Amino acid sequence: MTFETPSNIAAERDYLLDPTHEEHEEIIRYLQDHPDPASVPCLKNAIALKPALAYLDYDDYGAYYKKCLWVLQQGDCMKHQIGKPKTLAR
């Protein structure tokens, strides 16, 4: 089974790391729906970006972090090497 990476996924990854909007969780979901090993560094950086996202100050329970981590370890992603320990360690 092969999967195709949407042509705009790189733009979505870049936009995820832009702190000037409020669509981060939607982009995380998009990356979940389109697993790609190249998303791993972006998702790691998105985790580090969270403190700079003032609109998520209400998130006392870490839902944003959980969404990022879920994508990294989700079963479908693991089929495409996203969640494998070797990939996460990079």
Side-chain angles (χ1 to χ4, degrees):
M1 178 178 167
T2 61
F3 71 99
E4 291 186 31
T5 303
S7 60
N8 62 335
I9 197 165
E12 292 293 331
R13 286 192 291 255
D14 290 341
Y15 195 49
L16 177 59
L17 301 179
D18 178 356
T20 64
H21 64 85
E22 297 183 3
E23 299 175 27
H24 297 89
E25 291 175 303
E26 290 82 5
I27 297 168
I28 292 166
R29 176 58 193 239
Y30 177 85
L31 295 177
Q32 179 180 10
D33 292 342
H34 300 91
D36 182 358
S39 295
V40 171
C42 177
L43 287 160
K44 287 180 172 181
N45 290 332
I47 291 169
L49 178 69
K50 199 270 184 187
L53 304 176
Y55 79 95
L56 289 175
D57 283 346
Y58 73 90
D59 185 15
D60 295 337
Y61 295 103
Y64 176 87
Y65 295 121
K66 290 175 188 173
K67 289 174 185 178
C68 290
L69 293 170
W70 179 256
V71 176
L72 288 168
Q73 61 187 351
Q74 180 187 13
D76 284 344
C77 293
M78 291 180 78
K79 292 177 189 173
H80 302 295
Q81 304 295 318
I82 286 183
K84 296 217 174 177
K86 182 171 70 174
T87 305
L88 292 175
R90 291 182 190 161

